[in-house]
Every structure is written in C-alpha cells, then in structure tokens.
C-alpha cells in the first residue's frame, strides 16, 4: 500500500504547476516540479537504453527536495535513539534507496493526471501544502509536509487521502523489528536495494 502511495507522490510532483514564489513551501515544490518535468518530457531519456540515466536524474532531483534523513528518523520513532551512528547512517542510506526504487518504478505510470492546489499552511518552521490529484477516474487528496532546514523547504512526509506515508512505513518497520530484530529490517532493505525493486 505504501509503495502505491509513493507512486502518487511523484505523479503529483510531475504535474503541480501553480506559480508561487520560490521562497514559499509551494514555490519549493514547484522548483522541483519544473526539474522533474524536464526529465519526463525528454524524449531521448525515454529510450530503454537510457533508463539508468533517467533514473539517476530523477533520484538527484527528488533527493534535493526530500529530507531522507528526517524521513528515516521518523519511520523508526523512539527506536532511532537506540541506534549507533553507524546503524543510523546505514538505515538512512537503505531507506533512501528503498524509496528511490519505489518512486522511480512508479513514475512511468504517469498518464496525464493533474493536481489542484488547495491551500498552504505555515507555522514555526513547518508547513503543509495541500493538493488534490485529479483524473477522469479519481480525485485523491495529497498533502506535502515540509520543514525549513538551512533556509530551504524540505519534504519530510506526504499524506495521501488522509494516510501519512511515514506513519505507514513506521507501522510496517515496527512489526518487523518487534517480531524479529532491527538487523532483520536492515537485511530486508538490503535485499530490496540489491534487487533494485520495491516489491
């Protein structure tokens, strides 16, 4: 379920076109949107032989906006503090690759959906940009949660139809850790990274 959710995240990044200033949370999202559009519309990168190059470009663009370290920390919640710096770093790296496999694997499913801007809320260095993904068949609320870090707005969570992506993963990861161990979770993420798939 979380994998499907993350596909919608990139679809919405690829079609949110509201013109806002670059200093606002929405403006930060739009900056990333424009860069994603360049890659998605590049006919040369649609060639099967260019798949890895296309993937690398998308990962770089999304990675500049998504705060993977903050996302990883929030998925582990209280268990994060009990990890060594080395364990934390490995988890962040593996979680980032896990998400990258998810969104790059789903972005090709984009088929012209549009995103309507609803509103933006900002308070104390945190913000939420509320949007709605619209197609002839569906209308899905999709909200971006951002935090301001070093003068930039970074995405740390996405709420799709009322469900938090990070909370969804937190539940999945907690079940693995509680039924087995943190090392078992790392091993599962390592295997997915080796396979280059989110399935």
């Amino acid at each position: 379920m979380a994998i499907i959710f993350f596909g919608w995240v990139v679809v919405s990044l690829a079609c949110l076109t509201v013109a806002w200033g670059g200093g606002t949370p929405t403006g930060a999202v739009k900056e990333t949107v424009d860069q994603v559009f360049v890659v998605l519309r590049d006919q040369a990168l649609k060639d099967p032989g260019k798949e890895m190059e296309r993937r690398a470009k998308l990962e770089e663009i999304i990675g500049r906006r998504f705060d993977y370290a903050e996302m990883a920390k929030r998925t582990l919640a209280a268990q994060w503090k009990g990890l060594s710096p080395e364990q934390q770093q490995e988890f962040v790296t593996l979680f980032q690759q896990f998400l990258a496999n998810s969104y790059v694997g789903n972005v090709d499913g984009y088929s012209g959906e549009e995103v309507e801007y609803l509103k933006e809320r900002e308070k104390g260095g945190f913000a939420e940009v509320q949007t709605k993904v619209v197609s002839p068949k569906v209308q899905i609320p999709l909200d971006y949660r951002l935090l301001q870090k070093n003068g930039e707005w970074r995405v740390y969570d996405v709420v799709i139809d009322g469900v938090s992506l990070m909370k969804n993963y937190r539940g999945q990861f907690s079940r693995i850790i509680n039924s087995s161990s943190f090392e078992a979770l790392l091993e599962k993420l390592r295997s997915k990274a080796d396979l280059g798939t989110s399935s």
Side-chain angles (χ1 to χ4, degrees), residues 3-4 23 26 30 34 58 66 69-70 87 119 130-131 136 161 163-164 178 192:
I3 300 303
I4 296 172
T26 303
K30 186 179 185 303
D34 293 342
L58 288 171
F66 279 40
E70 184 67 24
Q87 287 177 311
K119 64 180 179 179
Q130 298 181 356
T131 71
D161 204 9
V163 179
S164 160
N178 292 336
K192 291 181 181 298

Side-chain angles (χ1 to χ4, degrees), residues 134-198:
V134 179
S135 77
K137 295 183 179 180
V138 297
Q139 292 190 18
I140 301 179
L142 190 154
D143 305 332
Y144 293 92
R145 291 176 176 171
L146 305 95
L147 56 83
Q148 200 165 41
K149 184 178 289 187
N150 299 322
E152 290 187 315
W153 287 107
R154 306 289 301 279
V155 174
Y156 70 86
D157 196 6
V158 180
V159 180
I160 303 178
D161 204 9
V163 179
S164 160
L165 185 69
M166 292 306 105
K167 185 176 181 180
N168 188 290
Y169 282 130
R170 188 184 309 136
Q172 293 182 40
F173 294 169
S174 178
R175 285 191 291 273
I176 294 173
I177 294 172
N178 292 336
S179 65
S180 187
S181 65
F182 176 71
E183 182 58 36
L185 173 60
L186 287 182
E187 187 56 40
K188 199 170 187 68
L189 292 175
R190 289 188 195 111
S191 66
K192 291 181 181 298
D194 290 341
L195 291 170
T197 179
S198 59

Side-chain angles (χ1 to χ4, degrees), residues 9-82:
V9 173
V10 180
V11 165
S12 65
L13 279 175
C15 50
L16 178 62
T17 58
V18 180
W20 282 68
T24 67
T26 303
V29 174
K30 186 179 185 303
E31 180 181 25
T32 300
V33 168
D34 293 342
Q35 295 169 0
V36 169
F37 260 135
V38 170
V39 176
L40 292 180
R41 292 171 174 170
D42 190 332
Q43 294 299 314
L45 291 176
K46 293 183 179 181
D47 186 287
K50 296 285 188 177
E51 181 179 352
M52 294 306 295
E53 181 181 350
R54 185 168 182 259
R55 177 193 175 107
K57 287 180 180 293
L58 288 171
E59 287 188 16
E60 180 184 0
I61 292 167
I62 302 297
R64 288 198 296 265
R65 184 61 58 200
F66 279 40
D67 190 333
Y68 289 116
E70 184 67 24
M71 294 170 116
K73 180 179 178 180
R74 286 171 181 268
T75 62
L76 292 184
Q79 300 189 47
W80 175 263
K81 293 182 179 179

